[in-house]
Amino acid sequence: DGIVALDGNARLLYANPGAYRLLGYEEKDFPINSSIYEIVEDRRQLVQLMRSFARGDFPRNVDVKVRRRGGEPIVISCSFSRLHSQNSAVLLSFRDVTEARHTQEQLVHTRNFLQSLIDASVDAIVASDMNGIIILFNAGAQQLYGHNPEDVIHKMHIRELYPGDGAREVGRMLASRQRGGPGRLEPVRMEAIDKDGNVFPI
């Protein structure tokens, strides 16, 4: 991890070798008393952080975008604390999380894309966890069953969508070697039950 000490004006008091390495600088390139405003992308964020230090608030795990030597932007996750040897000084420890944040953004984008596909489907799509609690209920399912998703997701058991022992029958078919093999069920006609108790074929 990089470890840095800053004074009350965000000037460098100390930096360990890890800090210089993560930021791509040699010690002579970013000497003591240099202002870290020079490398922070969002200066307003740094101003707000400095004000919080003055109030005695030292946040942890804050993402800050900085520029490595040469101008390459990276994201560092920062944790702050008071440097007890000097009342106005702040100790900062940080690590490079650029790749992790990029991966997180890609996963969120993929999740949102898949969610859009599910929501746009004219078919009813329902998913439950291994305990049978419904965790996904798209617009097609809402139209078919009449339930609002907010009344179903994490609140309703999958057996409530089938009359009688229908949910257990689906489970048995999924576990068998017939109709597609274990874990897969080829199209099969069954009965379902809507919000008003009407039974209909699916």
Side-chain angles (χ1 to χ4, degrees):
D1 289 356
I3 298 176
V4 167
L6 306 172
D7 68 12
N9 296 312
R11 292 189 174 276
L12 188 66
L13 298 174
Y14 165 81
N16 74 336
Y20 285 112
R21 184 171 59 253
L22 285 169
L23 297 174
Y25 289 95
E26 299 288 340
E27 189 170 349
K28 58 183 175 59
D29 301 321
F30 204 82
I32 300 303
N33 289 324
S34 296
S35 173
I36 66 167
Y37 278 102
E38 298 175 22
I39 63 170
V40 174
E41 288 274 287
D42 186 352
R43 294 192 171 196
R44 289 175 300 178
Q45 182 187 22
L46 183 55
V47 168
Q48 291 172 352
L49 285 169
M50 298 304 294
R51 287 174 179 168
S52 72
F53 303 153
R55 296 193 303 268
D57 182 18
F58 299 91
R60 302 182 63 82
N61 303 318
V62 178
D63 282 2
V64 178
K65 186 176 284 189
V66 297
R67 292 184 300 277
R68 282 174 53 90
R69 185 182 182 186
E72 175 193 359
I74 63 169
V75 179
I76 56 175
S77 179
C78 305
S79 293
F80 304 93
S81 60
R82 187 187 304 278
L83 190 61
H84 293 289
S85 60
Q86 301 183 45
N87 288 334
S88 63
V90 174
L91 189 67
L92 157 65
S93 63
F94 64 93
R95 61 181 56 188
D96 184 354
V97 294
T98 308
E99 187 174 343
R101 297 299 181 261
H102 178 66
T103 301
Q104 186 177 18
E105 288 176 6
Q106 288 181 315
L107 289 172
V108 169
H109 176 76
T110 300
R111 182 197 64 190
N112 291 342
F113 176 70
L114 293 174
Q115 187 66 52
S116 296
L117 288 179
I118 290 169
D119 289 340
S121 173
V122 295
D123 291 332
I125 300 176
V126 180
S128 73
D129 63 19
M130 296 303 291
N131 294 315
I133 302 301
I134 295 172
I135 58 174
L136 189 151
F137 197 83
N138 77 337
Q142 179 180 4
Q143 185 173 3
L144 190 66
Y145 288 97
H147 296 286
N148 292 320
E150 58 268 23
D151 298 327
V152 173
I153 296 173
H154 302 303
K155 297 177 182 177
M156 185 181 289
H157 197 280
I158 195 72
R159 63 173 170 260
E160 297 179 56
L161 301 183
Y162 299 94
D165 208 25
R168 192 178 298 274
E169 183 182 350
V170 170
R172 283 195 294 265
M173 288 190 289
L174 277 170
S176 76
R177 296 188 177 277
Q178 309 300 320
R179 301 182 182 275
R184 180 178 176 84
L185 181 57
E186 293 177 347
V188 58
R189 185 181 175 115
M190 296 195 64
E191 289 186 332
I193 186 168
D194 68 13
K195 182 180 179 181
D196 297 321
N198 300 309
V199 176
F200 59 95
I202 56 173

